[in-house]
Amino acid sequence: MAENNEKNKVTMDKIVSLCRRRGFIFQSSEIYGGLNGAYDYGPMGVRLKNNLRDLWWKEMTQLHDNIVGLDASILMHAKVWEASGHVSNFTDPMVDCKQCKSRFRADQIDLNAPCPVCGTRGSFTTPRNFNLMFQTHIGANADAASTIYLRPETAQGIYVDFKNVVSSSRVKIPFGIAQVGKSFRNEITTKNFIFRSCEFEQMEMQFFCKPGTEDEWFPYWREQRFNFYTDKVGIRKEALRWHQHGPDELAFYAKDAYDIQFYFPMGWQELEGIHSRTDYDLTQHQKFSGKEMTYLDPETNQKYIPYVVETSAGLTRNVLMALSDAYEEEVLKGEDGKEDVRTVLHFHPNVAPVMVAVLPLVKKDGLAEYASDLEHSLREEFVTDFDTSGAIGRRYRRQDEIGTPYCITVDYDTLKDNTVTLRFRDSMEQMRIPVSEIESTIKKATKEYKRV
Ligand code: ATP
């Protein structure tokens, strides 16, 4: 059975290599030497990412009846980022090595130590603040008045539209607005694959509540968000933990903040932040726009600026988490005692890029045609794959590598009695079932899925 040792440890290199080999993630503009901090999601990657996004969207907007959705534009008025504090404060301290010109975040290295790239001592410039927002210009004139920014977070779009949502829908406080979309940060260091990129996607929800009730909603949302990862995304509990922000990490306006951390191949790192943000953002926008950002309670006639509890997750960082948690090089011992390594992604069926692969045992004698018809008939319900090339064992392994939870094999008996073999990815167990029961069996297995 399976056993693991150092050699089979999950490393970032192995994940990067599988992502490239199997069409999950590619370096952006690779044929031109690549662009740092930007990635392309291939045929498998885009499905994985969309599945994670859809799961989050359903969880937030469908399973909570007091949350509505929004899709604000990436380009916004420059004043938005002045009000939010990003223009003056969204900076990282940066140093350059005078010798090799490498650039580092001053808070991430020891400035008295030699340069980690070229080894020169005392070669760092004095730290200076570097704003992470990408600037561009709108309109024909590239002057200061036309400067705008690519949004560095999706949350501000929600604050700016707060009044529009309240006046156009029947939401009553407490309620939330959820949004998924691209964000951009000119990150100084972009190592660790898609963990920290310059273009990425966020899934954010701002929950507006009455001042004084935020301490009830904050633990509620912390619990909801943690359980989402274990129960819906199927992440192992031991790979997740809490990190509470200390006074040095907390934004000056924030009341409290916790990160959900995941054990990535490079160690424990932030996956999602849950923040108690007070009325800071709406108050700032009221100040800068001159427009009232208050809420009028229809029952008490009280007017106030709501408090906000925010849940802020990285979608692309979720992709890396799902891949890292799922990846296993399983050492299998055959009956002859020989060892064989099976690379498998143990995705929860909720997020797997392919749900069912239909495989004819051989191509001839009508098996491929039967299997192809069967695969077509399953498409309405599941994302399917069809593969006829190579020995059946090799085809199973290919599906294991992209994390397909179920394989259906069509053989000679199928032609006689309309039964197929259903193979389960994790246990590699096989069962014989009638074709008419494929759909219900897969749905039941998915509902009951537990990572072992
Ligand atoms: P860090 O301290 O790691 O730079 P942050 O605390 O600034 O991150 P937030 O601004 O709270 O991060 O962003 C919320 C979420 O967005 C993070 O938990 C992360 O999942 C995601 N995120 C932020 N920056 C990036 C990035 N450059 N690349 C990918 N995901 C990111």
Side-chain angles (χ1 to χ4, degrees):
M1 268 328 291
E3 60 184 57
N4 272 312
N5 53 34
E6 265 308 292
K7 199 172 95 225
N8 305 104
K9 223 177 124 198
V10 184
T11 63
M12 196 64 95
D13 284 349
K14 288 179 181 175
I15 289 176
V16 172
S17 153
L18 179 129
C19 282
R20 195 170 189 281
R21 195 168 71 242
R22 290 289 175 220
F24 281 91
I25 299 161
F26 313 119
Q27 175 77 58
S28 159
S29 322
E30 202 181 80
I31 60 166
Y32 292 103
L35 179 70
N36 262 347
Y39 294 91
D40 299 341
Y41 290 75
M44 291 302 131
V46 68
R47 283 197 191 142
L48 173 62
K49 179 154 70 71
N50 287 352
N51 289 345
L52 285 160
R53 179 200 65 193
D54 294 349
L55 209 55
W56 182 88
W57 189 256
K58 178 177 175 188
E59 171 80 9
M60 299 311 252
T61 68
Q62 195 171 319
L63 302 179
H64 288 94
D65 56 7
N66 49 354
I67 300 186
V68 292
L70 180 77
D71 186 11
S73 69
I74 289 172
L75 303 177
M76 300 171 83
H77 199 292
K79 275 256 158 44
V80 171
W81 307 108
E82 282 173 38
S84 68
H86 283 82
V87 170
S88 46
N89 297 326
F90 197 54
T91 55
D92 276 339
M94 170 182 84
V95 291
D96 291 317
C97 169
K98 286 184 233 160
Q99 188 64 32
C100 69
K101 311 283 181 236
S102 298
R103 184 160 280 183
F104 306 94
R105 257 171 71 169
D107 56 334
Q108 287 178 347
I109 58 164
D110 175 1
L111 295 176
N112 298 315
C115 167
V117 174
C118 69
T120 312
R121 263 186 192 280
S123 65
F124 294 122
T125 56
T126 39
R128 58 193 187 284
N129 280 337
F130 172 79
N131 196 298
L132 271 67
M133 283 198 293
F134 282 100
Q135 275 190 23
T136 187
H137 293 275
I138 196 157
N141 296 328
D143 56 18
S146 70
T147 298
I148 56 165
Y149 305 94
L150 301 189
R151 69 178 176 201
E153 60 171 40
T154 58
Q156 295 305 322
I158 294 178
Y159 295 125
V160 169
D161 269 331
F162 168 72
K163 291 290 273 190
N164 282 337
V165 172
V166 171
S167 63
S168 61
S169 47
R170 297 188 317 280
V171 288
K172 285 205 188 91
I173 274 180
F175 75 92
I177 304 178
Q179 170 163 230
V180 182
K182 291 229 170 179
S183 294
F184 302 83
R185 297 182 187 180
N186 198 358
E187 300 278 4
I188 298 166
T189 43
T190 52
K191 51 183 190 221
N192 293 324
F193 199 31
I194 57 169
F195 176 80
R196 186 183 301 288
S197 44
C198 291
E199 175 175 343
F200 57 101
E201 282 177 75
Q202 290 185 308
M203 309 186 285
E204 297 197 296
M205 192 278 297
Q206 315 295 313
F207 196 76
F208 300 93
C209 62
K210 193 171 173 182
T213 64
E214 69 278 8
D215 291 344
E216 292 159 37
W217 290 109
F218 190 54
Y220 170 81
W221 279 111
R222 276 189 350 242
E223 191 188 350
Q224 292 285 309
R225 295 306 305 143
F226 196 95
N227 292 348
F228 170 75
Y229 289 114
T230 53
D231 301 353
K232 306 285 171 72
V233 191
I235 302 302
R236 290 168 300 174
K237 212 173 183 165
E238 62 272 23
L240 295 165
R241 72 174 191 192
W242 285 109
H243 164 73
Q244 185 176 16
H245 284 207
D248 54 328
E249 294 167 276
L250 212 54
F252 71 90
Y253 52 81
K255 216 174 147 180
D256 206 352
Y258 279 74
D259 293 338
I260 298 176
Q261 294 187 335
F262 174 75
Y263 192 69
F264 288 96
M266 66 283 187
W268 289 102
Q269 294 284 347
E270 172 179 344
L271 172 75
E272 165 163 354
I274 294 100
H275 310 128
S276 186
R277 291 178 74 111
T278 68
D279 57 1
Y280 173 75
D281 300 270
L282 289 177
T283 304
Q284 285 294 102
H285 287 303
Q286 177 165 293
K287 222 191 290 176
F288 277 72
S289 69
K291 302 277 177 344
E292 252 195 60
M293 298 304 276
T294 51
Y295 173 81
L296 180 66
D297 188 312
E299 266 128 52
T300 62
N301 254 348
Q302 248 184 318
K303 209 187 217 186
Y304 56 83
I305 296 185
Y307 267 41
V308 167
V309 173
E310 167 187 68
T311 70
S312 174
L315 170 55
T316 41
R317 211 173 270 188
N318 259 256
V319 170
L320 184 60
M321 169 192 66
L323 285 160
S324 314
D325 194 56
Y327 189 96
E328 187 184 10
E329 286 177 4
E330 211 179 55
V331 181
L332 304 169
K333 276 210 179 88
E335 275 166 16
D336 54 1
K338 274 202 190 135
E339 279 191 357
D340 180 21
V341 176
R342 172 174 89 124
T343 303
V344 52
L345 291 177
H346 297 280
F347 287 135
H348 191 289
N350 284 346
V351 300
V354 174
M355 187 72 144
V356 194
V358 182
L359 316 169
L361 187 65
V362 291
K363 264 193 249 180
K364 53 183 189 185
D365 300 331
L367 264 61
E369 289 77 9
Y370 187 109
S372 169
D373 288 349
L374 178 58
E375 190 249 338
H376 273 81
S377 73
L378 294 171
R379 283 186 187 180
E380 197 66 50
E381 282 302 320
F382 307 112
V383 175
T384 56
D385 194 3
F386 179 69
D387 186 2
T388 59
S389 63
I392 189 74
R394 291 215 7 230
R395 280 182 273 160
Y396 283 147
R397 291 296 172 87
R398 270 207 291 272
Q399 295 299 330
D400 290 341
E401 262 202 333
I402 58 167
T404 307
Y406 312 107
C407 286
I408 287 168
T409 309
V410 168
D411 57 24
Y412 285 102
D413 285 341
T414 312
L415 302 184
K416 285 187 231 144
D417 61 6
N418 284 314
T419 64
V420 290
T421 301
L422 174 62
R423 174 194 183 260
F424 295 89
R425 176 199 63 206
D426 292 359
S427 62
M428 292 187 284
E429 272 167 21
Q430 305 194 355
M431 66 193 277
R432 197 79 193 170
I433 56 165
V435 166
S436 58
E437 286 174 20
I438 293 175
E439 201 180 306
S440 57
T441 311
I442 287 178
K443 284 190 173 160
K444 184 162 178 281
T446 296
K447 222 174 191 164
E448 293 167 357
Y449 179 80
K450 277 248 156 356
R451 168 96 179 257
V452 281

